[in-house]
Each structure stands twice: as C-alpha cells, then as structure tokens.
Amino acid sequence: MSAWRCLDCEFGGAELSLCRGEDGGHTFEVLADVLLEGIASGQSSDELHRAHDCLSEMVRTAPESALAFLVVACARCPTVEALSVVAAGPLEDLLEAHGAVVIGRLETIAKVDPKFRLMLSGTWGKERIDPAVWARLVEAVSAGPVMDADARTPAAGLRDKLVTGDELAVLFRRVVRPDVH
C-alpha cells in the first residue's frame, strides 16, 4: 500500500484520523463505518464531511489505498442500498481516475466475491470511464448477480442475472475479505 496520508493525518493529528490505526498503519474500518452510518442515517456531520474529504483525496491520489478501502467498505455494507452508494461514489470515481491501474485487481476480487461483483454491477459512468476498462468491467459482472440491468451499468441487459432477495440475504450474511494485492 502507498504512503498516502489524508489532510487529517498530515495536519490534524492522529486523534482526527479516520483511516489509521493506533500503530499508524491504514485501517479502513472506521472510515467505512462513518461513511456507511452517514448513508444509513441520511444525516450530515463533521465526521462524515471529513470522511468524504479523506476518501476523495484517497481516490484521486492513492488508487491502491482506495481499492483496499473499497474491499473493506463492501464487506461492511449492511444493505444493497449502501452498496449502491459506494458503487456510485468512490468506486465510479476510482474507475474514472485510475481504471487501467485497478481493473485487474477488481476483476480478481469479483471472481471470488459475489457481493463485490454485485457492487461493481451498480456503477455508472460509461461515458467517463475508459472504454477498455468499461469492457473489462462488463465482463467482470457478467456472471452475476447484478443490481439491475439498466443500460447505464456494466450489467446492461443482464435481466436473467438480477439478484434475488434470497441471494441478497446470503451475500449480506457472508463476509469475504479478498487480498487486494
């Protein structure tokens, strides 16, 4: 993982960090939980704003760290709605900014983690993401399950792969932490 440090880490001191453990290493559980709690509650807070700032900077400057965050966030997502917000935000932004760098690892993770594959299927951005990366994303989600078959997603036309309620129950009980390296 990179030596990336957000502004809170750099200038705010360790007590403000949402992405570092006591040992100073990256730990994305707190950052993911702050983001997911904000999604669930619909409430804004200083901590949620800091989480968004941290995550935006990470996606822009440290694709390896952003990928590691996405694995943690996906595993911790409690609902398909939360998963779709992560897909529509940091995942789309990462694919737009660094798709060629991360698509190989995204494909690898999608092969072993159906919940992650489901998250990938919820991305939009075909117009913003490199066409070669988009084509690989389409292939990565083709096994299903997918969130929807909307033409704006890499799962366009895959109505036969739409996730069922039973599949969702299994996916959200199961915790997979694939290695991102």
Side-chain angles (χ1 to χ4, degrees):
M1 205 174 310
S2 73
W4 165 80
R5 293 173 60 87
C6 69
L7 294 176
D8 277 348
C9 290
E10 195 68 36
F11 301 109
E15 68 278 355
L16 289 179
S17 178
L18 298 174
C19 57
R20 297 236 174 228
E22 291 179 14
D23 65 355
H26 286 113
T27 177
F28 295 122
E29 283 80 4
V30 172
L31 183 60
D33 288 347
V34 168
L35 181 67
L36 296 171
E37 287 169 16
I39 292 168
S41 73
Q43 300 294 313
S44 186
S45 68
D46 178 56
E47 193 174 51
L48 182 59
H49 287 288
R50 288 184 21 242
H52 280 289
D53 288 346
C54 178
L55 192 51
S56 293
E57 186 177 348
M58 183 191 323
V59 165
R60 189 176 63 255
T61 63
E64 299 293 332
S65 294
L67 179 59
F69 167 80
L70 287 168
V71 169
V72 171
C74 179
R76 296 175 87 81
C77 276
T79 65
V80 72
E81 292 81 14
L83 200 63
S84 66
V85 171
V86 174
L91 177 56
E92 282 181 18
D93 294 344
L94 181 64
L95 283 163
E96 180 181 4
H98 303 285
V101 173
V102 299
I103 189 63
R105 283 179 304 275
L106 292 173
E107 291 167 319
T108 299
I109 296 166
K111 286 178 185 173
V112 298
D113 185 352
K115 186 177 177 185
F116 197 86
R117 191 168 51 246
L118 182 68
M119 182 174 71
L120 289 178
S121 79
T123 59
W124 290 9
K126 182 177 181 178
E127 311 79 33
R128 298 183 330 248
I129 296 170
D130 178 280
V133 171
W134 187 262
R136 290 174 69 180
L137 189 60
V138 167
E139 180 61 30
V141 305
S142 66
V146 299
M147 285 188 200
D148 62 48
D150 188 291
R152 297 169 286 192
T153 72
L158 296 177
R159 296 204 184 289
D160 61 324
K161 305 287 181 161
L162 290 173
V163 68
T164 66
D166 290 343
E167 288 173 319
L168 283 175
V170 170
L171 290 176
F172 284 93
R173 267 197 312 270
R174 189 171 166 239
V175 176
V176 176
R177 293 289 298 263
D179 183 17
V180 295
H181 302 342

